[in-house]
Amino acid sequence: MSEEFEQIETLIDNLSKEDFKSEVLEDYRIACISRNCSLIGRKEVLTGKAKFGIFGDGKEIAQIALSKYFNDGDWRSGYYRDQTMMFALGLCTPNQWFAQLYAHADVTLEPHSAGRQMGGHFATRSIDENGEWNDLTKMKNTSADISPTAGQMSRALGLGLASKHYRNDEGLKGKNKFSNKGNEVVFVTIGDASTSEGPFWETMNATAVLQVPMVLSVWDDGYGISVPKEYQTTKASISEALSGFAYEEGKGGMHIYKTKGWNYAHLIETYAKAVAQTRKTHIPCMVHVEEITQPQGHSTSGSHERYKDEARLQFEKEFDGLIKMKEWIISSGLATVEEIENIEKDGKDVASISKREAWKAFSGEIKNEIQEVAAYFDRIAGSSSKPAEINDVKVDLLSTLDPVRKDVMKAMKQVLRLTRFEASEARNQLITWKDNIDVVNEDRYCSHLYSESQYAATNITEVPAEFSGETENIPGYQILNKIFDHHLEHMPELCAFGEDVGHIGDVNQAFAGLQEKYGKYRVFDTGIRENTIIGQGIGMALRGLRPIAEIQYLDYLLYGLQPLSDDLATLQYRTKGGQKAPLIVRTRGHRLEGIWHTGSPMSLMLGSLRGMYICVPRNMVQAAGMYNTLLKSDEPAIVVECLNGYRIREHMPSNVTEFTVPLGQVETVRYGSDITVVSYGSTLRVVEEAAEKLAELEIDVEIIDVQTLLPFDAHQSIVESLKQTGKILFVDEDVPGGATAYMYQEVMEKQNGYYYQDMPAQTLAAKPNRGAYGSDGDYFTKPSLDDIIEKIYDMMSDDDPASYPTLY
Ligand SMILES: Cc1ncc(C[n+]2csc(CCOP(=O)(O)OP(=O)(O)O)c2C)c(N)n1
């Protein structure tokens, strides 16, 4: 037995020789199953049974080695190549893997995404069907994958940072469902080319600065699709490029290891050492796994012969991990050639049986639907004037090769169109069938954009603000400070962070004094890194913490928009309610000045953050009520505070820490009979001022504050105002066609506002250019007091020129 072999043996839990042999052979078996899944998966795509395939072939051995050191409570934040790791950890069966390849929309058979994500996008179920947390310390966890390269990085920072908090923050000691003394490691995987992305570098820096327990594996197969690493990475080596990050005693940094993707023994040695050290010390590490192969090329979209030369293709054949592992097993005397061949056959069988079963389950459901509609078609044809056409539709449907639901729906709708002038019992029954299946399909493909649990933000009961007795009239920031103080005291899992949030309590002081009071694990500073501030919040929220992540100014949200949009906003949806991350993003905007502080990119958010709530309070009392609501719920939201509102004095409700502002509830802040003006945020104050001036011109304005853009006016109250006034104007300081157009569409289309207008509804927004600097820049770019007065006056004048003669 070789020296190397003996060393490995002790590294795998000091197993007996027999057990060691079985473990190695089982590893080889998993690798064979995984490889065969990849081979069969490609065929399934090329024959049209699945739409797209991206597989883990070539990366099997490294992932098996890593998996040995992945404990209960640990987390994975990875990407689409990790099927072998998922098989080895018992987090995905080959059957489930094929179910995802076929997009089987049944969460019991495809628990990772219920068919919503393409193959190789994994997620474990952190919450049960009632939205309650499972015990995450008793399971191996994987945060839900997303497709953007390096998109897994920024949340990984938060997943790791959570361990640090659970280890060091005394107040979290009782949170047993989430951590065992902060010993959990986050395992991150990434392809070599994806390390070119900005979020990779931002995450690496923050991870090393914060010293979080992350084990990063770079699967280095030399290419990003076709582009070789010479064009991707400095010195064509991520470990060399990162060498300045190497750990130094007293200075920090991360440990950097190098190993080879085909060398089972060395991989095990490397991961044993790397993971143990990181788990114990929380010093992060990177394992650069070189010489990984990709036998089938990048994906089913093309062949790698187009961009790999002969020498590389030859190397990939020789250094295929499975071949090297097999050679090693035989040369170590662990198994005979015959034993190995039996394992290989078993791997093939398991993969093909899994494929068959998964396909049967997937296609069986659709076949049943086809049989059901075909029976209705026959009955409808029996009393129809178009039996031949109906029969043609039926025959077409029955002969469709590998049909999907779309084929069923198309055929059914065609028959209903053909028979639109014919009434029959069978046709009515088919319509009922359609109505029922519409509900089922809505659940299959469109549910869980928002939480469907009792903790959904829209379920939080309203507690009205009380202003009993003598109320304090204090600056807005102090009102926020009061509620954050209260919640930090009562919610040990609550923490707040961002640029300048810790030591000085944020640039506008809503957290002033709270770091001193609650400590550096509750209120703390971050580097200037919006992308990973958001990721940090997502990862922490995934592990039971309640982070409030601050983006200092709304304009800089753009850097953080990618994880918000791709990761957070889609989380409940892409896991069909399997994971939640109740992150609150706090930011400030509106009525700022200058091109980079324009401050109201609402349509940008509306377009990208469906799945989150967008709160646009007009003052700090309303903001406080929204935070109170959100902290009772389990959903992610962004709150845009009015930058020019912190110093304005407001009457503080006597129940300021208890009252709640229901999301989706508009507020009429001024009653009037001539025209309805809908607005929000800082602009609302300008509208209020305009209304006073317009009253002098004998125009009586009704003002509605929408308060939240998502959800929008859940009780359809705006149309009730329009019914009274007959005129409506939407005002904000977003771009033309931005959030004003969104509000217009909501009222005209969803609330049938069109029918109650005396004149066409109008919008008033900022100029399309970003705001110029200074007071004049603001005056000529944003809707000014004069603009609003003029607009409303002109609308009145159009309607009644005699009473309102043209102004100028
Ligand atoms: C942000 C983003 N840009 C581009 C893509 C398209 N894309 C998918 S995979 C890939 C290459 C990734 O290469 P690498 O990181 O080396 O991982 P590998 O697939 O080789 O394992 C690209 C460019 C994407 N998914 N996301």
Side-chain angles (χ1 to χ4, degrees):
M1 192 180 289
S2 71
E3 206 182 297
E4 182 197 41
F5 181 95
E6 279 173 9
Q7 218 177 345
I8 307 303
E9 195 182 354
T10 56
L11 289 171
I12 309 183
D13 292 339
N14 282 321
L15 297 174
S16 70
K17 281 204 170 49
E18 258 327 290
D19 286 349
F20 176 58
K21 172 180 166 170
S22 325
E23 176 143 348
V24 172
L25 296 188
E26 178 58 17
D27 286 351
Y28 187 62
R29 197 177 85 92
I30 293 171
C32 289
I33 294 172
S34 180
R35 175 62 60 89
N36 280 289
C37 284
S38 302
L39 297 173
I40 296 171
R42 185 176 175 85
K43 284 193 191 126
E44 293 300 274
V45 174
L46 299 183
T47 55
K49 280 157 79 184
K51 201 132 199 201
F52 177 74
I54 192 152
F55 307 118
D57 46 310
K59 300 176 172 70
E60 295 92 347
I61 309 302
Q63 293 184 19
I64 284 171
L66 176 157
S67 302
K68 293 188 186 302
Y69 306 99
F70 195 116
N71 292 349
D72 281 355
D74 285 346
W75 281 82
R76 166 185 168 277
S77 191
Y79 78 116
Y80 49 79
R81 299 283 182 210
D82 292 346
Q83 73 202 43
T84 316
M85 179 176 170
M86 297 301 289
F87 292 166
L89 293 173
L91 297 182
C92 181
T93 64
N95 225 312
Q96 292 168 345
W97 186 84
F98 278 108
Q100 192 178 50
L101 190 69
Y102 300 133
H104 197 160
D106 179 338
V107 76
T108 57
L109 298 173
E110 202 287 81
H112 299 274
S113 74
R116 292 172 180 196
Q117 293 231 68
M118 66 168 59
H121 288 65
F122 305 105
T124 43
R125 303 200 74 77
S126 307
I127 52 178
D128 67 19
E129 53 289 354
N130 301 317
E132 304 287 353
W133 288 106
N134 291 322
D135 187 340
L136 305 184
T137 63
K138 297 212 162 56
M139 55 193 272
K140 296 179 169 67
N141 302 283
T142 180
S143 53
D145 292 350
I146 58 176
S147 289
T149 45
Q152 68 274 39
M153 295 305 301
S154 111
R155 99 171 78 91
L157 175 69
L159 290 167
L161 187 62
S163 286
K164 204 173 174 75
H165 281 239
Y166 282 117
R167 183 174 282 183
N168 297 304
D169 184 354
E170 283 300 315
L172 292 174
K173 290 278 150 35
K175 303 279 289 172
N176 298 332
K177 271 187 167 185
F178 301 104
S179 179
N180 174 18
K181 303 188 182 80
N183 290 333
E184 301 78 19
V185 166
V186 57
F187 289 85
V188 185
T189 63
I190 189 166
D192 56 299
S194 301
T195 65
S196 310
E197 294 277 15
F200 173 83
W201 292 94
E202 199 177 303
T203 305
M204 284 295 92
N205 183 50
T207 301
V209 167
L210 294 169
Q211 293 287 281
V212 308
M214 177 190 292
V215 174
L216 169 80
S217 297
V218 181
W219 310 139
D220 185 351
D221 58 21
Y223 295 84
I225 307 187
S226 66
V227 181
K229 61 183 172 184
E230 288 71 23
Y231 292 106
Q232 303 276 3
T233 312
T234 304
K235 300 183 184 175
S237 163
I238 193 60
S239 48
E240 277 200 56
L242 273 171
S243 61
F245 284 61
Y247 186 78
E248 286 180 59
E249 202 56 52
K251 280 192 172 175
M254 62 173 57
H255 295 293
I256 296 177
Y257 302 90
K258 272 168 64 157
T259 180
K260 306 223 184 286
W262 47 265
N263 190 337
Y264 176 75
H266 193 255
L267 281 160
I268 288 181
E269 228 180 288
T270 307
Y271 277 110
K273 187 170 165 198
V275 180
Q277 191 161 42
T278 294
R279 195 181 297 286
K280 185 158 172 249
T281 61
H282 278 190
I283 299 169
C285 71
M286 182 194 58
V287 182
H288 182 189
V289 186
E290 297 180 291
E291 298 187 16
I292 285 242
T293 65
Q294 206 172 74
Q296 298 191 110
H298 176 76
S299 72
T300 49
S301 298
S303 91
H304 57 160
E305 282 83 9
R306 286 178 301 163
Y307 52 83
K308 288 179 187 164
D309 63 21
E310 261 314 304
R312 175 73 197 185
L313 290 167
Q314 189 53 34
F315 163 80
E316 296 213 358
K317 279 197 185 109
E318 275 172 38
F319 285 82
D320 184 313
L322 266 69
I323 290 173
K324 285 283 167 199
M325 184 171 178
K326 175 169 149 176
E327 286 169 7
W328 180 81
I329 293 173
I330 293 170
S331 68
S332 309
L334 275 176
T336 61
V337 172
E338 199 188 343
E339 278 175 290
I340 286 283
E341 281 171 358
N342 282 338
I343 293 172
E344 288 170 349
K345 182 176 176 313
D346 189 38
K348 226 181 211 165
D349 290 348
V350 170
S352 57
I353 291 166
S354 303
K355 175 209 77 171
R356 221 175 303 133
E357 285 176 357
W359 178 254
K360 201 169 152 208
F362 171 73
S363 58
E365 278 179 16
I366 294 167
K367 278 187 188 135
N368 287 343
E369 287 179 21
I370 290 176
Q371 292 309 325
E372 286 175 35
V373 291
Y376 285 118
F377 292 172
D378 285 343
R379 290 178 45 217
I380 293 170
S383 62
S384 169
S385 60
K386 295 176 181 161
E389 285 107 313
I390 295 172
N391 196 51
D392 285 349
V393 176
K394 185 184 100 172
V395 171
D396 264 5
L397 178 61
L398 291 176
S399 57
T400 306
L401 192 66
D402 303 327
V404 290
R405 289 208 163 85
K406 183 177 140 191
D407 300 307
V408 184
M409 299 301 285
K410 268 170 63 183
M412 177 187 61
K413 289 182 176 181
Q414 199 179 338
V415 168
L416 290 174
R417 284 196 298 268
L418 277 171
T419 56
R420 65 195 178 282
F421 295 117
E422 298 176 357
S424 73
E425 180 62 20
R427 189 174 187 277
N428 287 343
Q429 285 171 352
L430 182 59
I431 291 172
T432 306
W433 190 89
K434 175 190 161 300
D435 292 345
N436 291 337
I437 207 80
D438 281 348
V439 174
V440 177
N441 284 334
E442 178 73 15
D443 174 67
R444 281 177 178 140
Y445 300 103
C446 304
S447 71
H448 292 86
L449 179 59
Y450 290 91
S451 167
E452 298 192 0
S453 84
Q454 58 173 317
Y455 305 110
T458 43
N459 283 346
I460 304 305
T461 332
E462 179 178 7
V463 179
E466 289 168 10
F467 293 90
S468 52
E470 203 156 293
T471 54
E472 279 185 80
N473 190 18
I474 57 175
Y477 78 90
Q478 290 180 15
I479 293 172
L480 292 180
N481 191 277
K482 280 249 179 336
I483 63 147
F484 290 143
D485 187 359
H486 172 86
H487 293 305
L488 282 162
E489 187 185 340
H490 292 91
M491 293 177 70
E493 64 278 23
L494 179 66
C495 59
F497 51 81
E499 296 153 18
D500 305 291
V501 168
H503 189 52
I504 64 166
D506 98 39
V507 288
N508 293 97
Q509 294 185 286
F511 282 97
L514 300 183
Q515 184 181 70
E516 282 144 49
K517 194 164 173 186
Y518 297 101
K520 290 189 171 175
Y521 285 98
R522 306 295 305 286
V523 180
F524 51 102
D525 289 321
T526 65
I528 306 173
R529 48 177 180 79
E530 286 77 11
N531 180 290
T532 51
I533 286 174
I534 298 297
Q536 183 171 312
I538 297 171
M540 293 176 95
L542 280 166
R543 293 192 60 192
L545 297 170
R546 290 304 309 259
I548 298 179
E550 181 176 311
I551 297 296
Q552 198 162 67
Y553 297 99
L554 179 54
D555 297 72
Y556 304 121
L557 182 75
L558 268 174
Y559 277 129
L561 197 62
Q562 183 274 327
L564 279 179
S565 179
D566 290 332
D567 202 352
L568 187 61
T570 66
L571 182 69
Q572 297 242 14
Y573 174 75
R574 74 182 192 272
T575 57
K576 202 180 185 197
Q579 293 190 1
K580 62 178 175 183
L583 167 65
I584 298 174
V585 179
R586 179 177 177 239
T587 187
R588 50 188 70 87
H590 308 313
R591 301 317 289 199
L592 301 182
E593 289 179 6
I595 293 172
W596 315 113
H597 294 81
T598 294
S600 211
M602 293 297 136
S603 44
L604 177 87
M605 288 155 61
L606 282 167
S608 55
L609 300 181
R610 304 295 166 117
M612 288 181 68
Y613 293 101
I614 300 180
C615 303
V616 282
R618 66 180 177 275
N619 60 32
M620 299 308 160
V621 168
Q622 295 307 100
M626 290 173 188
Y627 286 118
N628 292 342
T629 304
L630 291 168
L631 286 169
K632 283 181 200 278
S633 92
D634 71 355
E635 296 207 79
I638 182 161
V639 181
V640 183
E641 296 166 13
C642 301
L643 180 80
N644 55 7
Y646 294 105
R647 303 273 147 190
I648 297 176
R649 286 179 178 272
E650 295 179 38
H651 286 284
M652 186 172 72
S654 46
N655 60 345
V656 70
T657 57
E658 308 301 330
F659 86 106
T660 55
V661 170
L663 307 188
Q665 189 163 301
V666 306
E667 190 177 331
T668 305
V669 296
R670 186 184 199 281
Y671 288 91
S673 54
D674 290 331
I675 182 167
T676 303
V677 180
V678 179
S679 189
Y680 58 87
S682 294
T683 310
L684 193 100
R685 276 202 298 273
V686 190
V687 173
E688 280 179 304
E689 233 183 291
E692 295 309 314
K693 301 275 181 216
L694 286 158
E696 294 165 16
L697 305 176
E698 299 189 358
I699 297 173
D700 192 12
V701 178
E702 179 144 310
I703 303 174
I704 299 181
D705 179 4
V706 302
Q707 306 210 83
T708 58
L709 287 167
L710 287 177
F712 185 85
D713 189 10
H715 305 295
Q716 309 217 330
S717 310
I718 297 173
V719 76
E720 296 307 319
S721 169
L722 176 58
K723 282 179 192 173
Q724 305 301 320
T725 62
K727 300 179 198 63
I728 191 163
L729 171 70
F730 301 91
V731 187
D732 76 358
E733 49 172 312
D734 193 7
V735 290
T740 46
Y742 161 80
M743 296 192 288
Y744 177 104
Q745 183 238 347
E746 287 279 329
V747 176
M748 291 303 124
E749 217 172 274
K750 290 203 187 142
Q751 303 187 7
N752 285 324
Y754 176 82
Y755 296 103
Y756 306 102
Q757 306 181 98
D758 297 341
M759 63 184 304
Q762 301 210 20
T763 62
L764 176 63
K767 293 280 168 57
N769 52 286
R770 293 197 186 190
Y773 175 66
S775 298
D776 285 346
D778 180 71
Y779 182 84
F780 289 106
T781 333
K782 301 276 180 76
S784 66
L785 178 64
D786 289 334
D787 292 334
I788 297 169
I789 293 170
E790 256 169 43
K791 182 79 183 176
I792 295 171
Y793 187 92
D794 286 352
M795 285 174 75
M796 296 300 293
S797 170
D798 281 352
D799 192 47
D800 180 3
S803 307
Y804 304 101
T806 315
L807 283 176
Y808 0 89

